Amino acid sequence: MYTPGELIVAHGESGRDVFFILEGRARVTLFSENGREIFYGDRGPGDIIGEVSAIDGKARSASVVALEATRAARLPAPAFRRLVTDHPDFSWALLEHLSSGIRHMTDRVYEFSTLVVRRRLILELLRRADDRDESTSRVFIDPAPTHFELAASIRPC
């Protein structure tokens, strides 16, 4: 169990374990050289973190911090590799997950390279607005992001 603000994975560390979030929410983030936080996304129940290091054997590519009380299952890298090798359905789900991440990052690079801040803000709010109330056509963002969180998600390093 991780408490709010507790580091689950630290950028640059050598750990290779994979984590499956069972409860709670965690934030994937990095800090630029000048100390600005760069927000990559939040993870919740059913999400996986740490898989890239388990696959390529390199240092962690980002930090992950618990946003609220978070329970995660830890799977050592050798067991993760056996799971990938022995279970093709899991392997395919992992490929879909990694492909989704690549598409997301491609979209973000495009946005940072071509769009003004106002347009990036609109896109970020639309990304966060998942829940629709069909009876009123209203869209909700819950939890509401802080100004700092929005700025960290739409500004380039």
Short mmCIF file of all heavy atoms in Angstrom, two decimals, residues 117-147:
data_model
loop_
_atom_site.label_atom_id
_atom_site.label_comp_id
_atom_site.label_asym_id
_atom_site.label_seq_id
_atom_site.Cartn_x
_atom_site.Cartn_y
_atom_site.Cartn_z
N VAL A 117 -0.80 27.26 -27.01
CA VAL A 117 -1.16 26.82 -25.66
C VAL A 117 -2.67 26.67 -25.49
O VAL A 117 -3.14 25.70 -24.91
CB VAL A 117 -0.59 27.80 -24.61
CG1 VAL A 117 -1.11 27.47 -23.23
CG2 VAL A 117 0.93 27.77 -24.62
N ARG A 118 -3.43 27.62 -26.00
CA ARG A 118 -4.89 27.56 -25.86
C ARG A 118 -5.46 26.27 -26.43
O ARG A 118 -6.28 25.60 -25.83
CB ARG A 118 -5.53 28.77 -26.54
CG ARG A 118 -7.02 28.82 -26.41
CD ARG A 118 -7.57 30.15 -26.98
NE ARG A 118 -8.98 30.23 -26.79
CZ ARG A 118 -9.88 29.87 -27.70
NH1 ARG A 118 -9.50 29.44 -28.88
NH2 ARG A 118 -11.17 29.96 -27.44
N ARG A 119 -5.00 25.89 -27.60
CA ARG A 119 -5.48 24.66 -28.25
C ARG A 119 -5.03 23.41 -27.48
O ARG A 119 -5.78 22.46 -27.33
CB ARG A 119 -4.99 24.62 -29.70
CG ARG A 119 -5.48 23.45 -30.48
CD ARG A 119 -6.96 23.58 -30.79
NE ARG A 119 -7.33 22.45 -31.62
CZ ARG A 119 -8.41 21.72 -31.42
NH1 ARG A 119 -9.26 22.06 -30.47
NH2 ARG A 119 -8.68 20.70 -32.18
N ARG A 120 -3.81 23.43 -26.94
CA ARG A 120 -3.33 22.29 -26.14
C ARG A 120 -4.16 22.15 -24.87
O ARG A 120 -4.46 21.04 -24.44
CB ARG A 120 -1.84 22.46 -25.80
CG ARG A 120 -0.94 22.33 -27.00
CD ARG A 120 0.52 22.13 -26.66
NE ARG A 120 1.08 23.01 -25.67
CZ ARG A 120 1.85 24.07 -25.96
NH1 ARG A 120 2.14 24.37 -27.22
NH2 ARG A 120 2.35 24.81 -25.01
N LEU A 121 -4.55 23.28 -24.27
CA LEU A 121 -5.39 23.25 -23.08
C LEU A 121 -6.75 22.63 -23.40
O LEU A 121 -7.25 21.77 -22.67
CB LEU A 121 -5.57 24.65 -22.50
CG LEU A 121 -6.52 24.77 -21.30
CD1 LEU A 121 -6.03 23.92 -20.14
CD2 LEU A 121 -6.67 26.22 -20.90
N ILE A 122 -7.34 23.03 -24.49
CA ILE A 122 -8.64 22.47 -24.91
C ILE A 122 -8.53 20.95 -25.09
O ILE A 122 -9.36 20.18 -24.60
CB ILE A 122 -9.15 23.15 -26.19
CG1 ILE A 122 -9.54 24.60 -25.88
CG2 ILE A 122 -10.32 22.38 -26.80
CD1 ILE A 122 -9.77 25.46 -27.12
N LEU A 123 -7.50 20.51 -25.79
CA LEU A 123 -7.31 19.07 -26.01
C LEU A 123 -7.10 18.31 -24.71
O LEU A 123 -7.61 17.21 -24.53
CB LEU A 123 -6.16 18.82 -26.98
CG LEU A 123 -6.43 19.20 -28.43
CD1 LEU A 123 -5.16 19.08 -29.26
CD2 LEU A 123 -7.54 18.35 -29.01
N GLU A 124 -6.35 18.90 -23.79
CA GLU A 124 -6.11 18.25 -22.49
C GLU A 124 -7.42 18.12 -21.71
O GLU A 124 -7.70 17.08 -21.12
CB GLU A 124 -5.08 19.01 -21.68
CG GLU A 124 -4.75 18.38 -20.34
CD GLU A 124 -4.16 16.99 -20.43
OE1 GLU A 124 -3.56 16.63 -21.48
OE2 GLU A 124 -4.28 16.23 -19.45
N LEU A 125 -8.22 19.16 -21.71
CA LEU A 125 -9.51 19.09 -21.01
C LEU A 125 -10.43 18.05 -21.65
O LEU A 125 -11.10 17.29 -20.95
CB LEU A 125 -10.18 20.46 -20.99
CG LEU A 125 -9.50 21.50 -20.10
CD1 LEU A 125 -10.11 22.88 -20.32
CD2 LEU A 125 -9.56 21.10 -18.64
N LEU A 126 -10.43 17.98 -22.96
CA LEU A 126 -11.24 16.96 -23.64
C LEU A 126 -10.74 15.55 -23.31
O LEU A 126 -11.55 14.63 -23.14
CB LEU A 126 -11.22 17.18 -25.15
CG LEU A 126 -12.00 18.39 -25.65
CD1 LEU A 126 -11.75 18.63 -27.14
CD2 LEU A 126 -13.49 18.22 -25.36
N ARG A 127 -9.43 15.36 -23.21
CA ARG A 127 -8.88 14.05 -22.85
C ARG A 127 -9.34 13.62 -21.46
O ARG A 127 -9.61 12.46 -21.21
CB ARG A 127 -7.35 14.09 -22.86
CG ARG A 127 -6.72 13.58 -24.11
CD ARG A 127 -5.23 13.37 -23.93
NE ARG A 127 -4.49 14.59 -23.74
CZ ARG A 127 -4.04 15.38 -24.73
NH1 ARG A 127 -4.27 15.06 -25.98
NH2 ARG A 127 -3.37 16.47 -24.47
N ARG A 128 -9.40 14.60 -20.57
CA ARG A 128 -9.78 14.29 -19.18
C ARG A 128 -11.28 14.12 -19.00
O ARG A 128 -11.72 13.59 -17.98
CB ARG A 128 -9.27 15.39 -18.25
CG ARG A 128 -7.77 15.40 -18.12
CD ARG A 128 -7.30 16.62 -17.35
NE ARG A 128 -5.87 16.65 -17.23
CZ ARG A 128 -5.24 16.52 -16.07
NH1 ARG A 128 -5.89 16.37 -14.96
NH2 ARG A 128 -3.91 16.57 -16.05
N ALA A 129 -12.06 14.58 -19.94
CA ALA A 129 -13.52 14.55 -19.83
C ALA A 129 -14.07 13.23 -20.37
O ALA A 129 -14.57 13.16 -21.48
CB ALA A 129 -14.12 15.74 -20.58
N ASP A 130 -13.97 12.20 -19.57
CA ASP A 130 -14.39 10.89 -20.01
C ASP A 130 -15.86 10.59 -19.71
O ASP A 130 -16.52 9.91 -20.47
CB ASP A 130 -13.55 9.80 -19.34
CG ASP A 130 -12.15 9.76 -19.89
OD1 ASP A 130 -11.96 10.16 -21.04
OD2 ASP A 130 -11.26 9.33 -19.15
N ASP A 131 -16.35 11.06 -18.59
CA ASP A 131 -17.70 10.69 -18.16
C ASP A 131 -18.73 11.67 -18.68
O ASP A 131 -18.68 12.86 -18.41
CB ASP A 131 -17.76 10.65 -16.63
CG ASP A 131 -16.80 9.64 -16.06
OD1 ASP A 131 -16.65 8.57 -16.69
OD2 ASP A 131 -16.22 9.90 -15.00
N ARG A 132 -19.68 11.13 -19.43
CA ARG A 132 -20.76 11.95 -19.97
C ARG A 132 -22.07 11.58 -19.29
O ARG A 132 -22.35 10.42 -19.07
CB ARG A 132 -20.93 11.73 -21.46
CG ARG A 132 -19.82 12.29 -22.28
CD ARG A 132 -20.10 12.05 -23.77
NE ARG A 132 -18.98 12.50 -24.53
CZ ARG A 132 -18.92 13.70 -25.12
NH1 ARG A 132 -19.91 14.53 -25.02
NH2 ARG A 132 -17.85 14.05 -25.79
N ASP A 133 -22.86 12.59 -18.98
CA ASP A 133 -24.21 12.38 -18.49
C ASP A 133 -25.11 12.44 -19.70
O ASP A 133 -25.40 13.52 -20.23
CB ASP A 133 -24.56 13.46 -17.46
CG ASP A 133 -25.96 13.30 -16.88
OD1 ASP A 133 -26.77 12.55 -17.46
OD2 ASP A 133 -26.24 13.94 -15.86
N GLU A 134 -25.55 11.29 -20.20
CA GLU A 134 -26.32 11.21 -21.44
C GLU A 134 -27.64 12.00 -21.35
O GLU A 134 -28.11 12.51 -22.35
CB GLU A 134 -26.62 9.75 -21.79
CG GLU A 134 -25.37 8.93 -22.07
CD GLU A 134 -24.57 9.45 -23.27
OE1 GLU A 134 -25.18 9.98 -24.22
OE2 GLU A 134 -23.34 9.31 -23.24
N SER A 135 -28.22 12.12 -20.16
CA SER A 135 -29.50 12.81 -20.04
C SER A 135 -29.37 14.32 -20.23
O SER A 135 -30.31 14.97 -20.65
CB SER A 135 -30.15 12.49 -18.69
OG SER A 135 -29.36 13.00 -17.64
N THR A 136 -28.21 14.89 -19.91
CA THR A 136 -28.04 16.35 -20.02
C THR A 136 -26.97 16.74 -21.02
O THR A 136 -26.77 17.92 -21.26
CB THR A 136 -27.65 16.94 -18.65
OG1 THR A 136 -26.37 16.41 -18.27
CG2 THR A 136 -28.69 16.65 -17.59
N SER A 137 -26.27 15.77 -21.60
CA SER A 137 -25.15 16.02 -22.52
C SER A 137 -24.02 16.80 -21.85
O SER A 137 -23.24 17.45 -22.51
CB SER A 137 -25.64 16.77 -23.77
OG SER A 137 -26.58 16.01 -24.46
N ARG A 138 -23.95 16.73 -20.54
CA ARG A 138 -22.87 17.38 -19.81
C ARG A 138 -21.68 16.43 -19.69
O ARG A 138 -21.83 15.22 -19.65
CB ARG A 138 -23.32 17.80 -18.42
CG ARG A 138 -24.32 18.92 -18.46
CD ARG A 138 -24.64 19.38 -17.07
NE ARG A 138 -25.60 20.46 -17.15
CZ ARG A 138 -26.12 21.07 -16.11
NH1 ARG A 138 -25.76 20.70 -14.90
NH2 ARG A 138 -26.97 22.04 -16.26
N VAL A 139 -20.51 17.03 -19.60
CA VAL A 139 -19.28 16.27 -19.45
C VAL A 139 -18.65 16.66 -18.12
O VAL A 139 -18.66 17.83 -17.74
CB VAL A 139 -18.31 16.58 -20.61
CG1 VAL A 139 -17.01 15.85 -20.42
CG2 VAL A 139 -18.95 16.22 -21.94
N PHE A 140 -18.11 15.66 -17.41
CA PHE A 140 -17.52 15.89 -16.11
C PHE A 140 -16.05 15.50 -16.11
O PHE A 140 -15.67 14.54 -16.75
CB PHE A 140 -18.25 15.08 -15.04
CG PHE A 140 -19.70 15.44 -14.91
CD1 PHE A 140 -20.66 14.75 -15.62
CD2 PHE A 140 -20.09 16.49 -14.10
CE1 PHE A 140 -22.00 15.09 -15.52
CE2 PHE A 140 -21.42 16.84 -13.99
CZ PHE A 140 -22.39 16.15 -14.70
N ILE A 141 -15.27 16.27 -15.38
CA ILE A 141 -13.87 15.93 -15.14
C ILE A 141 -13.74 15.75 -13.64
O ILE A 141 -13.88 16.71 -12.88
CB ILE A 141 -12.92 17.03 -15.65
CG1 ILE A 141 -13.09 17.24 -17.15
CG2 ILE A 141 -11.48 16.67 -15.31
CD1 ILE A 141 -12.30 18.40 -17.71
N ASP A 142 -13.49 14.52 -13.24
CA ASP A 142 -13.41 14.21 -11.82
C ASP A 142 -12.28 13.24 -11.56
O ASP A 142 -12.28 12.16 -12.16
CB ASP A 142 -14.74 13.62 -11.35
CG ASP A 142 -14.79 13.44 -9.85
OD1 ASP A 142 -14.23 14.28 -9.13
OD2 ASP A 142 -15.39 12.44 -9.40
N PRO A 143 -11.32 13.64 -10.76
CA PRO A 143 -11.25 14.88 -10.01
C PRO A 143 -10.81 16.03 -10.90
O PRO A 143 -10.11 15.83 -11.89
CB PRO A 143 -10.19 14.58 -8.94
CG PRO A 143 -9.31 13.56 -9.56
CD PRO A 143 -10.20 12.74 -10.45
N ALA A 144 -11.23 17.22 -10.53
CA ALA A 144 -10.85 18.41 -11.29
C ALA A 144 -9.35 18.66 -11.13
O ALA A 144 -8.82 18.60 -10.03
CB ALA A 144 -11.63 19.62 -10.80
N PRO A 145 -8.65 18.90 -12.24
CA PRO A 145 -7.21 19.16 -12.14
C PRO A 145 -6.94 20.55 -11.57
O PRO A 145 -7.75 21.47 -11.73
CB PRO A 145 -6.74 19.08 -13.59
CG PRO A 145 -7.95 19.44 -14.39
CD PRO A 145 -9.13 18.93 -13.61
N THR A 146 -5.81 20.70 -10.91
CA THR A 146 -5.40 22.01 -10.44
C THR A 146 -4.77 22.77 -11.61
O THR A 146 -4.45 22.18 -12.65
CB THR A 146 -4.35 21.89 -9.32
OG1 THR A 146 -3.17 21.30 -9.87
CG2 THR A 146 -4.87 21.05 -8.15
N HIS A 147 -4.59 24.08 -11.45
CA HIS A 147 -3.92 24.87 -12.48
C HIS A 147 -2.51 24.32 -12.73
O HIS A 147 -2.06 24.24 -13.86
CB HIS A 147 -3.85 26.35 -12.07
CG HIS A 147 -5.16 27.04 -12.17
ND1 HIS A 147 -5.95 27.28 -11.08
CD2 HIS A 147 -5.83 27.53 -13.23
CE1 HIS A 147 -7.05 27.89 -11.45
NE2 HIS A 147 -7.02 28.05 -12.76
#
